Amino acid sequence: MAGTVSPQSLSDAERRIVAFWAADCAERVLPLFEAEAPEDDRARDAIARARAFARGELDAAGEIRRRFVAGRAAAAARTPAGAASARAAAQAAGVAHMGAHALGAAAYAAKAVELAHPDDPDARDTEVRWQLAHLSPEAAAALRLLPLLGEDHAGPLGPGLLASGVLGAVIREIQSRLRPSP
């Protein structure tokens, strides 16, 4: 239906709130990408833009046009961990367009940590615990408004890359930890 807003969008104010958290998640793994592509500033710029959007300095329309720039930086990475780091930054920048991308930023960051530390079976879980511990009450409330992964097919939380494998597992874990116990 034309004009219908996806439940994965969130309001402008809610997207600005979760953009801070998404940027924090992506920034923690940014060194993985920058070590492999020190001359490529697209991932760092995406995180800076996510923060500027969160502060109200950028509008959603301008960021929607730029949202794929950092994702293309993943091709400059030499390892899967570096590529996942660049994708975390791209997802953080994508929050200006759709709030659900915040969960994508967290998932790619956790994946990057896991890939960077293959001998540490707790690396991903430790990263997810950090992410949840650094989630403001306002951002947690906004993320609770998102549909559960797979419940809405018209956005990042629908079928696709974020719904399967490590990314899907991380998003499901975050969403389950945000929901009150029955």
Side-chain angles (χ1 to χ4, degrees), residues 102-122:
L103 292 172
Y108 271 112
K111 180 178 181 174
V113 168
E114 182 176 59
L115 290 167
H117 302 284
D119 297 329
D120 181 356
D122 297 322

Side-chain angles (χ1 to χ4, degrees), residues 86-148:
R87 289 186 180 106
Q91 291 284 318
V95 172
H97 170 243
M98 194 166 271
H101 285 295
L103 292 172
Y108 271 112
K111 180 178 181 174
V113 168
E114 182 176 59
L115 290 167
H117 302 284
D119 297 329
D120 181 356
D122 297 322
R124 182 177 83 199
D125 293 335
T126 300
E127 186 64 16
V128 171
R129 282 193 303 276
W130 181 92
Q131 293 170 349
L132 289 164
H134 288 81
L135 187 60
S136 73
E138 297 81 12
L143 291 176
R144 279 189 205 98
L145 299 173
L146 293 170
L148 294 175

Side-chain angles (χ1 to χ4, degrees), residues 57-103:
E57 297 166 5
L58 298 174
D59 66 359
E63 291 309 291
I64 287 169
R65 288 189 296 275
R66 294 182 50 100
R67 71 184 184 274
F68 298 113
V69 173
R72 289 190 290 269
R78 294 188 310 269
T79 67
S85 170
R87 289 186 180 106
Q91 291 284 318
V95 172
H97 170 243
M98 194 166 271
H101 285 295
L103 292 172

